[in-house]
Amino acid sequence: MRPRLLSSTRCCSELKGSSCESKVTMPKAKKKSKRNTFDYSKDRKKLKKQFKKREAPRIECPQIRNAWSDKKSVARNLRDMGLAFDPNRALPIKTPTIAAVERTEDTPAPKFVRKPYVLNELVAEASLPEKDTKTLSTDLIEYVQYMVREHSENYKAMARDEKNYYQDTPSQIRRKVDQYKRCHPEEYTTFMESLKGGKAVST
């Protein structure tokens, strides 16, 4: 009996199927995650203090900032300094009534202030004269210097000057000169001395 011949296409398909079945994909090994180990070289208490100090809001007032204690609450800190945490409780608004006027109430005992120097420093700072930090523009300074150089203190002549571009009245020019004296006293003194000496003024 003659053997049965297989077609070439069938043989190829069977060979391909056998080769595909022989290829088995192996699963990839998972990478081991790095184990979190405790770092004994770091001071945890110091790191916690640094974190709290960094995250805490900065107190702008130097007197309160120097006397502040992180171990106390806000109300306790302010009470120790003689300051009020709640102004509504410190100075309550009471409506006068007939019964309240007739009834005599005992005045509460004054609270003990542990850090009175903070309040004294704040009062001393508030009593200092306020420094005028206002400055004038360069154009206005040159305008005032020109008027004073040409007309001295004759404000009516300044108002009639052709370079009075602002159309200022004598009173307005006087205010600008006074403003220049107040905001730039050293520069004004140097300018007037240069006029007396006959020197050229440079702005």
Side-chain angles (χ1 to χ4, degrees):
M1 186 176 179
R2 299 180 64 182
R4 187 179 178 184
L5 297 175
L6 298 175
S7 63
S8 60
T9 55
R10 185 177 177 182
C11 291
C12 291
S13 61
E14 289 179 356
L15 288 172
K16 287 181 181 179
S18 61
S19 62
C20 291
E21 290 176 359
S22 62
K23 290 182 180 179
V24 179
T25 56
M26 297 297 291
K28 294 182 179 180
K30 294 183 179 179
K31 292 182 179 180
K32 292 183 179 180
S33 59
K34 187 178 179 181
R35 186 178 178 183
N36 294 327
T37 57
F38 187 81
D39 191 357
Y40 291 94
S41 63
K42 294 181 180 179
D43 190 352
R44 300 293 170 178
K45 289 185 178 180
K46 188 175 181 181
L47 291 174
K48 185 178 179 180
K49 287 182 180 179
Q50 290 178 355
F51 175 77
K52 289 177 68 176
K53 187 176 181 180
R54 185 171 61 251
E55 294 297 325
R58 176 174 172 80
I59 302 174
E60 297 297 334
C61 181
Q63 292 85 359
I64 297 177
R65 183 173 64 248
N66 295 332
W68 193 268
S69 175
D70 294 332
K71 297 181 180 180
K72 298 179 182 179
S73 63
V74 177
R76 182 65 183 276
N77 272 295
L78 295 178
R79 186 166 63 249
D80 291 347
M81 299 176 196
L83 303 174
F85 174 70
D86 188 358
N88 295 323
R89 295 182 62 182
L91 297 172
I93 300 175
K94 297 180 180 180
T95 55
T97 58
I98 298 175
V101 172
E102 293 177 354
R103 186 174 65 254
T104 57
E105 298 179 354
D106 296 334
T107 57
K111 295 181 180 179
F112 180 69
V113 180
R114 297 180 181 275
K115 301 176 182 179
Y117 60 91
V118 178
L119 191 60
N120 296 334
E121 290 176 1
L122 291 174
V123 172
E125 185 179 356
S127 62
L128 293 175
E130 186 178 358
K131 187 178 180 181
D132 192 358
T133 57
K134 186 177 179 182
T135 57
L136 302 179
S137 63
T138 307
D139 295 339
L140 186 56
I141 292 174
E142 292 178 354
Y143 171 77
V144 171
Q145 288 183 353
Y146 168 78
M147 291 298 181
V148 174
R149 187 188 303 112
E150 295 295 327
H151 307 287
S152 184
E153 295 183 356
N154 189 354
Y155 298 103
K156 291 183 179 180
M158 293 181 187
R160 293 193 299 268
D161 194 288
E162 60 180 3
K163 290 191 176 181
N164 182 13
Y165 304 120
Y166 302 102
Q167 296 296 311
D168 290 334
T169 62
S171 300
Q172 291 174 335
I173 297 175
R174 181 192 295 271
R175 282 197 295 269
K176 289 183 178 180
V177 173
D178 293 340
Q179 196 175 13
Y180 177 51
K181 294 178 185 178
R182 185 175 64 255
C183 297
H184 303 276
E186 297 179 359
E187 185 178 345
Y188 177 78
T189 305
T190 306
F191 171 70
M192 296 305 293
E193 289 177 356
S194 65
L195 290 181
K196 292 178 182 178
K199 299 179 182 178
V201 179
S202 59
T203 56

